[in-house]
Amino acid sequence: MSEADAPTVPADTDAVRDALIEWYEDDHRDFPWRRTDDPYEILVSEVMSQQTQLSRVETAWAEFLKRWPTAADLAAADRADVVGFWTDHSLGYNNRARYLHEAAEQVGSEYDGEFPSDPEELQELMGVGPYTANAVASFAFNNGDAVVDTNVKRVLYRAFDIPDDDAAFERAASELMPEGESRVWNNAVMELGGVACEKTPKCDETGCPWREWCHAYETGDFTAPDVPTQPSFEGSRRQFRGRVISTLKEYNELGLDDLGPRIRVDYAPDGEYGREWLQGLLSDLADDGLVEVEKRNGDTVARLRS
């Protein structure tokens, strides 16, 4: 099917828009970052939310902002402290903490302390890709494009029979979003995918506002594009990377056989989780600019990068 022939949104677009916004404004999850238009606070929430459960993010976000309430405060912080916070709150990949710290420094040094408001310019900040840039532009400045994430794709696929094609999803999402209303619209359509049109839909239970137009609701076919599940944090490589950072913060520097047992109880120098495995973790962390590794008297010694 060509893009020109692909199914599109209903003709009565205004009614579709009004129904969703009314549903969202009547009742939605009250995340604290939805109550602010501060670009720094929103950026922190977006970076924390990447592949991390929102239940962990909510507490960490509040504590992070209490410690570093502005971009200037974060820029002035010791990077090891920021990475340590990330690890202590199980927020996943520690390089995101490093990038966030560097982005805060950029805001001060390159933008006179004021965040850019355009999605393209926001992508100039370290670690800020197209999705995050558009989210910050949308929620802080009401100046974004239509968000197209996994949940939005699932909604569009089911509701309007949009084919599983990125260009088709982008086109449909753009047609639907009311001009100049990216803040409320993107929040609303993501809420729809997050609480009503999940993998197992809750159409009637949540009073889905699009049942009137929904192809899946009409046909009973609720298939959707494959959605990867969030890998378990417990026992993951991410978890052990975090333990390395925490341990090196406490001990300054350690050799492999001193570090290994402190991050994994079943560490055995020549075992499956031994020196080779640990060297792989340290190599990744060194590539991310978080640790330094050197050979000394035949031993490998690791320390946090200052």
Side-chain angles (χ1 to χ4, degrees):
M1 180 184 298
S2 70
E3 184 176 332
D5 296 331
T8 187
V9 300
D12 49 348
T13 309
D14 287 342
V16 172
R17 292 168 175 162
D18 291 345
L20 177 59
I21 292 173
E22 182 180 345
W23 173 85
Y24 173 75
E25 291 183 336
D26 181 59
D27 184 32
H28 60 260
R29 292 172 296 179
D30 187 29
F31 296 124
W33 47 86
R34 285 180 170 172
R35 301 194 298 268
T36 181
D37 59 5
D38 184 309
Y40 168 67
E41 295 181 359
I42 290 168
L43 176 61
V44 172
S45 76
E46 289 294 329
V47 174
M48 284 187 175
S49 299
Q50 294 168 13
Q51 296 182 316
T52 303
Q53 295 174 347
L54 293 180
S55 59
R56 287 211 305 270
V57 172
E58 199 161 357
T59 298
W61 182 82
E63 292 180 8
F64 189 95
L65 293 177
K66 183 177 181 180
R67 187 165 180 180
W68 300 294
T70 69
D73 293 320
L74 181 60
D78 185 283
R79 184 167 299 170
D81 289 337
V82 180
V83 172
F85 179 98
W86 216 258
T87 299
D88 293 343
H89 289 76
S90 302
L91 290 169
Y93 302 102
N94 290 317
N95 60 341
R96 294 208 297 262
R98 178 168 65 89
Y99 292 155
L100 187 58
H101 184 257
E102 291 187 31
E105 292 178 334
Q106 281 180 270
V107 170
S109 63
E110 300 176 24
Y111 296 96
D112 296 324
E114 298 291 332
F115 272 78
S117 61
D118 180 84
E120 290 189 9
E121 199 169 4
L122 279 160
Q123 287 185 61
E124 297 299 318
L125 299 179
M126 180 61 71
V128 176
Y131 179 87
T132 300
N134 188 54
V136 175
S138 293
F139 304 138
F141 302 106
N142 202 24
N143 187 40
D145 300 315
V147 165
V148 183
D149 66 359
T150 298
N151 283 345
V152 173
K153 289 179 180 180
R154 183 168 61 250
V155 168
L156 296 176
Y157 183 93
R158 285 174 173 167
F160 307 125
D161 202 21
I162 304 300
D164 185 8
D165 173 81
D166 285 347
F169 286 134
E170 294 278 355
R171 184 165 58 95
S174 296
E175 286 181 18
L176 279 169
M177 189 180 79
E179 186 175 355
E181 295 188 44
S182 61
R183 179 183 290 127
V184 66
W185 180 261
N186 285 331
N187 269 322
V189 74
M190 288 193 296
E191 184 78 354
L192 187 66
V195 303
C197 200
E198 299 174 282
K199 287 184 179 181
T200 301
K202 302 175 182 175
C203 315
D204 296 324
E205 180 182 342
T206 59
C208 174
W210 282 357
R211 287 171 292 178
E212 177 181 343
W213 301 276
C214 181
H215 178 264
Y217 192 74
E218 178 183 357
T219 63
D221 179 4
F222 288 97
T223 57
D226 250 344
V227 181
T229 57
Q230 167 68 20
S232 172
F233 181 76
E234 188 64 32
S236 70
R237 194 172 179 84
R238 288 185 297 143
Q239 184 181 43
F240 289 111
R241 282 166 52 108
R243 287 181 181 175
V244 168
I245 297 295
S246 295
T247 303
L248 291 179
K249 270 195 85 173
E250 182 179 357
Y251 288 92
N252 188 30
E253 65 175 32
L254 288 170
L256 288 184
D257 291 344
D258 291 321
L259 175 61
R262 288 177 167 84
I263 68 168
R264 188 168 188 128
V265 293
D266 57 350
Y267 175 87
D270 298 318
E272 180 181 0
Y273 299 109
R275 290 172 185 152
E276 185 176 348
W277 171 81
L278 183 52
Q279 283 176 327
L281 284 183
L282 292 173
S283 177
D284 289 349
L285 290 166
D287 288 343
D288 289 339
L290 298 173
V291 303
E292 294 176 343
V293 181
E294 68 171 273
K295 290 286 188 182
R296 187 189 303 163
N297 300 323
D299 194 9
T300 298
V301 177
R303 72 176 69 85
L304 283 184
R305 178 166 288 177
S306 57

